[in-house]
Amino acid sequence: AASGFGCYYLGKPNPFMIQSALDRLEVGREKACMVGDRMNTDIQAGVEATVDTVLVLSGISTMNTVLQYSFRPSTILHTVGDIASLCTDKVDSVELPH
């Protein structure tokens, strides 16, 4: 950079983005979750921001993808459509193989 300073990246997976949203909405971490379909951006951002995370397998990441990371989402769902049912505890989440 011409300024002589390095850049500071604010997009996912930087947890500052999530913290800024929580501050703006006046919501505590315990009442928030990050939902996404990518382990390396969505879920990593949530984990680093210390909020619950929900991975949906209807997008980019698969169960094999999950196993490649040292961190895990709080919940794994088959599709985005399962998110609404999560609020009523009537959805079957996906179990990770041991």
Side-chain angles (χ1 to χ4, degrees), residues 55-69:
L55 176 69
V56 291
L57 297 177
S58 55
I60 302 300
S61 293
T62 65
M63 286 304 296
N64 287 333
T65 307
V66 173
L67 299 175
Q68 296 173 9
Y69 289 87

Side-chain angles (χ1 to χ4, degrees), residues 42-95:
D42 306 320
I43 304 306
Q44 184 177 346
V47 168
E48 290 184 9
T50 64
V51 297
D52 286 339
T53 54
V54 178
L55 176 69
V56 291
L57 297 177
S58 55
I60 302 300
S61 293
T62 65
M63 286 304 296
N64 287 333
T65 307
V66 173
L67 299 175
Q68 296 173 9
Y69 289 87
S70 60
F71 55 90
R72 298 287 184 258
S74 306
T75 303
I76 302 174
L77 300 176
H78 293 285
T79 68
V80 174
D82 292 333
I83 294 170
S85 299
L86 187 64
C87 296
T88 61
D89 296 325
K90 293 182 181 178
V91 66
D92 293 326
S93 61
V94 178
E95 294 293 324

Side-chain angles (χ1 to χ4, degrees), residues 4-70:
F5 295 99
C7 63
Y8 184 73
Y9 184 72
L10 287 176
K12 291 182 290 186
N14 189 320
F16 180 77
M17 181 181 74
I18 294 175
Q19 185 56 53
S20 294
L22 295 176
D23 290 345
R24 185 177 192 120
L25 296 169
E26 298 180 359
V27 174
R29 284 184 169 95
E30 69 283 352
K31 292 187 177 186
C33 73
M34 177 67 171
V35 178
D37 67 345
R38 291 179 183 259
M39 285 292 294
N40 65 327
T41 55
D42 306 320
I43 304 306
Q44 184 177 346
V47 168
E48 290 184 9
T50 64
V51 297
D52 286 339
T53 54
V54 178
L55 176 69
V56 291
L57 297 177
S58 55
I60 302 300
S61 293
T62 65
M63 286 304 296
N64 287 333
T65 307
V66 173
L67 299 175
Q68 296 173 9
Y69 289 87
S70 60

